[in-house]
């Protein structure tokens, strides 16, 4: 159990002198709270697995330091770091029984037998593996195997953190839900720091108290699911989280007014923007309503309506830009053109993809 | 669903059947024919029934005692070379580099002994071990070790075994290396995280993942060493005395040395039968292991 600090940590697989833009992980400084449930979210190739492997010691960073409770552990090997990690595909020791598999990490560290037995029994109970304890692990199904891998990650009570690298990839969707809620329950029960890597936003948002979004080797935002939804710090976060993602529209912003293709939208705050920056408005489809075209409203061409059951979203085009907006209940769409009504308090301004805080 | 019955399909098998008939079945039948008869030359044959087989399998007769002596000798030889080559092959495979140009260098070096014709291997060691002009024999004798594979049984056995180890350990090593390469990195990473020692990694991951290739290696090496002829024949000619006369060497002695075609035919049929039984065990074990694996996948 430990607080984990990353200090100016970076990783380049082609040496330190390589072009910084090619780094698999660009320099990052951040703190992981003891006992927190974190999710590392991002598309494939964004550097999240690299970050995980740096923390577990499988990869040695080309720059920066990792501190566990203030102690620099960067040069230490994986064995000495006291970290548990669960991989994407189940790793089990074929010749051992399920019980022996779970006991393996403890046995290697020379714990007394009665302690091992007690701990294995507890983990087996938590993961519903009790009926299989004396069975050979090789004969089990893929999800039972992955449960064993999870169990081996959780069995040590003294670990600094448990890292999960997309652990539910091989699991059936229905079981996924069960296992994820199980992990969440285990997190509460065992008081371990858990870091969960995934490219699936639902998985990240349901598992974690803090979601760390990564994009192109950079940590672009870390916050609660609500923060990520309400106030994306980067256009990528807005686009990646939420379904459909945030609308990002090029605009001109002057003071409290934004102009999109000749139409003006009133903003809640006043913005002073650096000259020459690429300025965009970001607004979630949930906060834009489709209305009958009227003067003063931005007009958009309707491409199609997606009926999601509880809510309907219109897919539109504003000029050349794709746009999504909510269709209010009871509103029936007629014709190809619709007006858009913005919730001004929910419209964010981005300069060069980064959120700009306005002044009141 | 009713299957269409079309007996004409048998004609498709005919070409293969003809080839096998002329290349294997007919020659085999001539051997069966010989094994039932006795000859005194001049192409005169006399019916002997199962007489040769009775004699062959009865250790109190001359033929039987020679057969069993060479059979036990041969089994001892196979056991010894397996006991050396398998562990040694595993050690070599484990110490091979995992990537880079060194892999290619190692693979080529290992493959060299496998590419040398067997009688050349025999000749190399025959000369290498000679006390007068052979490097090994000369050095050993000058170190004060009385080494002479021509007159000393122990030296002859040692030479034949070391030669086989030199020739074939590569095969075991290459097979094991292939087995090791197929283990995903995640296993090693997980073992690191679980704090496994080097020995625990070997027993918990590498050995279980290698068991299939090891099975193949053991069976291949067993079959090959059980049928060995060329190398010991070139080096020791089966001597000194009969001490390195293995079954195939005995067979050739009877067939071509004494021209006892009946006895030799009976011996070769029994020899063949032993090999077929071993093949069958090999096949059964392999398919059972395979079936187990499929069953496992089906459940998953």
């Amino acid at each position: 159990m430990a607080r984990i600090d990353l200090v100016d940590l970076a990783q380049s697989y082609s040496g330190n002198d390589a072009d910084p833009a090619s780094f698999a992980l660009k320099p990052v400084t951040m703190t992981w709270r003891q006992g927190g449930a974190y999710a590392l979210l991002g598309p494939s190739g964004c550097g999240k697995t690299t970050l995980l492997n740096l923390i577990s010691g499988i990869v040695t960073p080309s720059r920066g330091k990792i501190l566990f409770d203030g102690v620099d552990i960067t040069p230490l090997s994986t064995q000495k770091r006291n970290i548990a990690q669960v991989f994407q595909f189940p790793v089990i020791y074929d010749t051992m029984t399920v019980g022996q598999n779970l006991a393996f990490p403890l046995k290697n560290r020379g714990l007394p037998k009665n302690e091992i037995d007690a701990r294995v029994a507890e983990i087996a109970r938590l993961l519903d593996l009790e009926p299989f304890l004396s069975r050979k692990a090789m004969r089990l199904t893929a999800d039972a195997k992955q449960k064993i891998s999870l169990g081996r990650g959780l069995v040590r009570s003294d670990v600094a953190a448990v890292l999960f690298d997309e652990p539910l990839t091989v699991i059936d969707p229905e079981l996924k839900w069960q296992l994820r809620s199980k992990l969440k329950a285990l997190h509460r029960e065992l008081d371990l720091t858990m870091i969960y890597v995934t490219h699936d936003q639902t998985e990240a948002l349901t598992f974690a108290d803090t979601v760390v979004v990564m994009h192109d080797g950079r940590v672009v935002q870390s916050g609660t699911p609500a923060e990520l939804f309400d106030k994306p710090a980067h256009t990528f976060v807005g686009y990646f989280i939420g379904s459909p993602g945030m609308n990002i529209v090029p605009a001109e912003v002057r003071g409290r007014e934004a102009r999109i293709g000749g139409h003006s939208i009133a903003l809640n705050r006043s913005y002073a923007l650096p000259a020459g920056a690429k300025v965009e408005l970001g607004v979630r489809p949930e906060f834009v309503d489709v209305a009958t075209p009227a003067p003063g409203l931005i007009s958009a061409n309707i491409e199609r309506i997606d009926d999601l059951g509880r809510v309907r979203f219109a897919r539109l085009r504003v000029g050349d830009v794709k746009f999504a907006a909510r269709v209010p209940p009871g509103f029936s769409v007629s014709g190809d053109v619709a007006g858009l009504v913005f919730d001004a308090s929910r419209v964010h301004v981005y300069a060069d993809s980064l959120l700009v805080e306005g002044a009141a | 669903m009713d299957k269409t019955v079309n007996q004409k399909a048998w004609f498709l098998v005919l070409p293969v059947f003809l080839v096998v008939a002329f290349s294997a079945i007919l020659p085999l039948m001539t051997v069966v024919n010989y094994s039932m008869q006795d000859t005194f030359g001049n192409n005169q044959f006399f019916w002997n029934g199962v007489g040769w087989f009775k004699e062959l399998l009865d250790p109190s007769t001359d033929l039987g005692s020679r057969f069993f002596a060479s059979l036990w000798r041969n089994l001892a030889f196979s056991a010894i070379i397996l006991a050396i080559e398998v562990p040694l092959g595993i050690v070599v495979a484990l110490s091979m580099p995992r990537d880079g140009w060194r892999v290619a260098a190692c693979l080529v070096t290992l493959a060299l002994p496998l590419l040398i014709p067997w009688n050349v291997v025999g000749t190399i060691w025959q000369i290498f071990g000679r006390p007068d002009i052979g490097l090994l024999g000369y050095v050993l004798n000058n170190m004060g070790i009385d080494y002479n594979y021509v007159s000393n049984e122990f030296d002859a056995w040692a030479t034949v075994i070391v030669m086989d180890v030199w020739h074939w350990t590569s095969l075991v090593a290459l097979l094991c290396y292939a087995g090791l390469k197929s283990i995903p990195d995640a296993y090693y990473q997980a073992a690191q995280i679980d704090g496994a020692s080097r020995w625990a990694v070997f027993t918990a991951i590498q050995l279980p993942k290698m068991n299939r290739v090891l099975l193949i290696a053991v069976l291949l090496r067993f079959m090959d060493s059980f049928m060995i002829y060329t190398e010991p024949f070139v080096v020791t000619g089966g001597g000194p005395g009969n001490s390195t006369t293995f079954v195939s060497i005995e067979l050739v002695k009877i067939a071509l040395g004494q021209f006892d075609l009946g006895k030799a035919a009976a011996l070769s049929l029994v020899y063949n039968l032993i090999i077929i039984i071993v093949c069958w065990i090999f096949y059964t074990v392999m398919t059972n292991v395979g079936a187990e694996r499929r069953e496992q996948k089906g459940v998953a």
Side-chain angles (χ1 to χ4, degrees):
Chain A
M1 280 172 264
R3 190 186 78 233
I4 302 175
D5 292 294
L6 312 180
V7 183
D8 190 30
L9 190 71
Q11 170 64 17
S12 159
Y13 289 108
S14 44
N16 243 340
D17 307 324
D19 175 17
S22 76
F23 277 29
L25 179 73
K26 276 132 197 160
V28 57
T29 298
M30 66 184 299
T31 297
W32 312 75
R33 208 174 62 248
Q34 137 63 19
Y38 290 91
L40 263 178
L41 177 66
S44 306
C46 71
K48 52 196 193 310
T49 297
T50 299
L51 180 52
L52 206 66
N53 288 343
L54 287 174
I55 296 176
S56 67
I58 290 170
V59 177
T60 313
S62 44
R63 177 157 20 132
K65 282 191 292 188
I66 304 168
L67 313 178
F68 285 4
D69 276 338
V71 182
D72 184 359
I73 52 93
T74 324
L76 290 189
S77 69
T78 303
Q79 280 100 328
K80 300 206 175 110
R81 277 191 192 192
N82 216 5
I83 277 270
Q85 186 166 0
V86 180
F87 297 90
Q88 189 166 6
F89 297 101
V91 174
I92 51 148
Y93 302 110
D94 291 343
T95 48
M96 300 185 195
T97 63
V98 174
Q100 287 166 335
N101 258 284
L102 292 178
F104 193 61
L106 301 177
K107 225 175 99 195
N108 287 327
R109 287 174 174 80
L111 261 71
K113 194 175 178 311
N114 53 343
E115 257 176 67
I116 296 182
D117 290 345
R119 192 70 191 163
V120 167
E122 188 193 350
I123 293 298
R125 180 180 57 78
L126 291 172
L127 285 170
D128 303 322
L129 281 172
E130 278 165 317
F132 306 114
L133 271 182
S134 53
R135 292 252 304 264
K136 276 256 189 268
M138 198 176 131
R139 302 282 167 84
L140 298 176
T141 58
D143 41 81
K145 283 182 185 173
Q146 190 62 333
K147 270 196 199 171
I148 299 171
S149 302
L150 290 172
R152 273 210 325 276
L154 299 167
V155 76
R156 285 152 58 199
S157 53
D158 59 339
V159 287
V162 187
L163 314 178
F164 301 93
D165 189 358
E166 312 201 18
L168 302 183
T169 313
V170 291
I171 312 285
D172 290 338
E174 193 196 341
L175 269 170
K176 243 183 206 173
W177 278 101
Q178 289 179 22
L179 271 180
R180 204 182 313 131
S181 20
K182 188 123 258 170
L183 275 182
K184 186 117 196 173
L186 286 171
H187 176 250
R188 280 192 289 269
E189 198 152 337
L190 298 174
D191 187 35
L192 294 168
T193 309
M194 293 190 181
I195 303 177
Y196 189 108
V197 161
T198 178
H199 59 256
D200 179 342
Q201 52 164 314
T202 326
E203 223 165 273
L205 299 178
T206 49
F207 172 79
D209 341 307
T210 310
V211 177
V212 178
V213 183
M214 292 190 69
H215 174 51
D216 195 20
R218 217 182 290 276
V219 172
V220 285
Q221 186 172 11
S222 101
T224 63
E227 282 167 7
L228 296 183
F229 187 81
D230 291 337
K231 228 176 168 190
H234 189 280
T235 49
F236 174 78
V237 179
Y239 160 80
F240 196 68
I241 289 182
S243 177
M246 190 182 233
N247 295 305
I248 312 284
V249 191
E252 288 166 43
V253 173
R254 202 166 294 120
R256 286 179 179 273
E257 190 195 36
R259 295 187 75 82
I260 300 174
H263 295 272
S264 92
I265 301 172
L267 298 173
N268 259 12
R269 295 168 152 259
S270 149
Y271 295 88
L273 294 168
K278 183 181 76 173
V279 178
E280 288 160 314
L281 286 191
V283 58
R284 293 209 171 268
E286 286 82 354
F287 307 123
V288 185
D289 280 352
V290 173
T292 322
L297 291 185
I298 293 179
S299 66
N301 296 318
I302 300 177
E303 293 196 324
R304 63 169 201 275
I305 307 288
D306 290 344
D307 193 340
L308 304 183
R310 255 180 327 108
V311 60
R312 285 181 299 165
F313 283 107
R315 301 299 188 143
L316 314 137
R317 222 168 246 282
V318 176
D320 291 338
V321 185
K322 280 188 176 170
F323 205 91
R326 201 169 68 104
V327 182
F331 181 85
S332 63
V333 183
S334 56
D336 294 344
V337 181
L340 299 175
V341 181
F342 288 78
D343 177 349
S345 64
R346 303 288 199 162
V347 177
H348 300 291
V349 176
Y350 293 89
D352 286 336
S353 301
L354 294 174
L355 182 71
V356 181
E357 294 281 355
Chain B
M1 207 173 74
D2 286 329
K3 277 186 186 159
T4 321
V5 177
N6 186 351
Q7 301 290 4
K8 281 182 201 135
W10 289 106
F11 283 107
L12 296 175
V13 185
L14 196 61
V16 174
F17 177 78
L18 285 176
V19 169
V20 172
F22 277 97
S23 67
I25 298 175
L26 290 182
L28 185 67
M29 286 305 121
T30 34
V31 175
V32 173
N33 187 27
Y34 281 141
S35 74
M36 301 288 181
Q37 306 192 48
D38 196 2
T39 176
F40 300 111
N42 287 335
N43 233 4
Q44 282 181 296
F45 287 90
F46 307 91
W47 179 250
N48 192 23
V50 292
W52 294 133
F53 291 95
K54 275 190 184 153
E55 206 178 318
L56 183 74
L57 298 177
D58 179 0
S60 63
T61 63
D62 172 60
L63 178 64
S65 66
R66 281 169 66 184
F67 169 62
F68 279 103
S70 62
L71 181 65
W72 298 138
R73 221 175 272 139
N74 211 152
L75 289 173
F77 174 72
S78 295
I80 293 171
I81 62 111
L82 280 179
I84 299 174
E85 287 174 17
V86 171
L88 188 61
I90 293 175
V91 170
V92 170
L94 285 174
S95 35
M96 274 175 71
R98 281 178 69 80
D99 42 33
W101 62 270
R102 290 188 198 85
V103 177
C106 275
L107 290 179
V108 170
T109 315
L110 279 179
L112 277 179
L114 301 176
L115 298 176
I116 300 176
W118 298 357
N119 54 350
V120 176
V121 172
T123 312
I124 290 174
W125 281 83
Q126 204 258 354
I127 295 171
F128 189 44
R130 276 174 65 164
D132 50 352
I133 57 165
L135 181 63
L136 176 71
Y138 185 80
V139 168
L140 281 179
N141 278 295
N142 275 287
M143 282 165 66
I145 300 163
D146 182 22
Y147 166 82
N148 188 338
Y149 65 81
V150 182
S151 58
N152 183 305
E153 289 190 9
F154 178 83
D155 292 349
W157 268 80
T159 310
V160 173
I161 286 166
V162 171
M163 173 177 63
D164 198 81
V165 169
W166 176 84
H167 194 181
W168 289 112
T169 303
S170 294
L171 179 76
V172 181
L174 290 176
L175 283 168
C176 290
Y177 184 69
L180 285 175
K181 283 288 269 189
S182 69
I183 303 175
D185 278 344
Y187 277 83
Y188 294 111
Q189 297 173 347
Q192 264 187 41
I193 280 158
D194 291 339
S197 62
R198 183 70 195 82
W199 177 249
V201 170
F202 177 65
T203 52
I205 298 174
Q206 291 171 322
L207 206 51
K209 294 279 172 201
M210 270 195 299
N211 67 359
R212 298 165 63 77
V213 288
L214 275 179
L215 184 67
I216 295 172
V218 166
L219 286 157
L220 278 179
R221 280 316 300 135
F222 175 78
M223 297 300 294
D224 260 357
S225 62
F226 191 65
M227 295 188 288
I228 193 165
Y229 175 77
T230 318
E231 302 102 307
F233 181 75
V234 172
V235 177
T236 65
N242 277 329
S243 60
T244 55
T245 302
F246 301 122
V247 182
S248 58
I249 298 180
E250 193 70 87
L251 175 63
V252 173
K253 275 187 185 170
I254 296 172
L256 302 179
Q258 305 166 207
F259 215 71
D260 273 334
L261 289 185
K263 290 180 185 176
L267 200 163
S268 58
L269 285 177
V270 172
Y271 193 18
N272 205 1
L273 195 67
I274 295 174
I275 287 167
I276 289 174
I277 289 171
V278 175
C279 278
W280 176 76
I281 295 172
F282 176 32
Y283 178 78
T284 315
V285 171
M286 287 306 293
T287 43
N288 279 353
V289 173
E292 205 167 83
R293 196 172 233 210
R294 270 195 299 283
E295 178 192 313
Q296 224 184 295
K297 275 204 178 133
V299 174

